[in-house]
Amino acid sequence: MRILLLNGPNLNTLGTREPEIYGSQTLADIERRVSERAAGQGAEVRAFQANSEGALIDWLQKEAPQAGGLIINAGAYTHTSVALRDAVASCGLPVIEVHISNIWKREPFRHDSLLSPIVVGAIVGLGARGYLLAVDALVDIEKGNG
Ligand code: CA2
């Protein structure tokens, strides 16, 4: 099984600022840990990050046909991008949405996600470990365990 890991704007700067909100792991740390977690369950990971909507959508359209699931942290596009939502909705994969921070504890403009209504589930506010939990969930779903 191939899992896609897609991160949106500014997540390339993880580990450099605001550690009280986003923790101290870099995106490279997270991508490595997600790959290790997946490998332990017989899955492989393709990871990508971009700061622009179009690049995220282009990558997803290219990679989805060869994959079995998607983990996405769309960053601020979570709250704004109909285009990304449409791409995720039509990718044909089970999707887990991840947010490092608890978006409902933060500013009101972060409380709504355009993605949440079209994903299988969301993991929010558990830090970088949310990505690892998403791997477990996707592998389990792919095994047919609901
Ligand atoms: O909590 C999350 O994972 C978010 O998706 C992160 C986005 C934010 O816009 C969402 O509302 C919630 C922001 C990512 C910014 O990443 C930074 C990384 C390091 C330092 C500052 C920002």
Side-chain angles (χ1 to χ4, degrees):
M1 175 191 184
R2 177 177 293 171
I3 294 172
L4 304 180
L5 172 61
L6 186 54
N7 279 285
N10 297 309
L11 288 157
N12 57 314
T13 67
L14 278 175
T16 63
R17 296 179 289 134
E18 302 184 65
E20 66 289 354
I21 299 177
Y22 297 113
S24 55
Q25 290 185 56
T26 66
L27 184 58
D29 293 334
I30 290 169
E31 289 177 350
R32 179 180 43 77
R33 294 185 68 203
V34 165
S35 290
E36 288 169 359
R37 183 79 155 224
Q41 299 175 68
E44 65 163 351
V45 173
R46 283 266 174 111
F48 183 70
Q49 185 276 336
N51 290 323
S52 67
E53 253 173 322
L56 294 165
I57 292 166
D58 286 345
W59 186 83
L60 181 57
Q61 288 180 352
K62 179 165 63 76
E63 295 292 335
Q66 295 84 41
L70 169 68
I71 300 169
I72 183 167
N73 182 348
Y77 288 144
T78 302
H79 318 294
T80 63
S81 178
V82 176
L84 185 58
R85 173 193 159 120
D86 288 347
V88 171
S90 64
C91 75
L93 300 173
V95 182
I96 309 285
E97 177 182 1
V98 170
H99 296 289
I100 296 167
S101 65
N102 182 344
I103 55 176
W104 297 294
K105 262 186 171 171
R106 303 184 63 192
E107 304 95 325
F109 64 83
R110 297 186 201 276
H111 294 183
D112 278 333
S113 164
L114 294 176
L115 296 177
S116 291
I118 52 109
V119 300
V120 173
I123 300 170
V124 169
L126 298 181
R129 73 172 65 79
Y131 291 98
L132 305 180
L133 298 173
V135 170
D136 296 350
L138 276 180
V139 170
D140 206 41
I141 289 165
E142 194 62 18
K143 283 181 186 159
N145 294 330

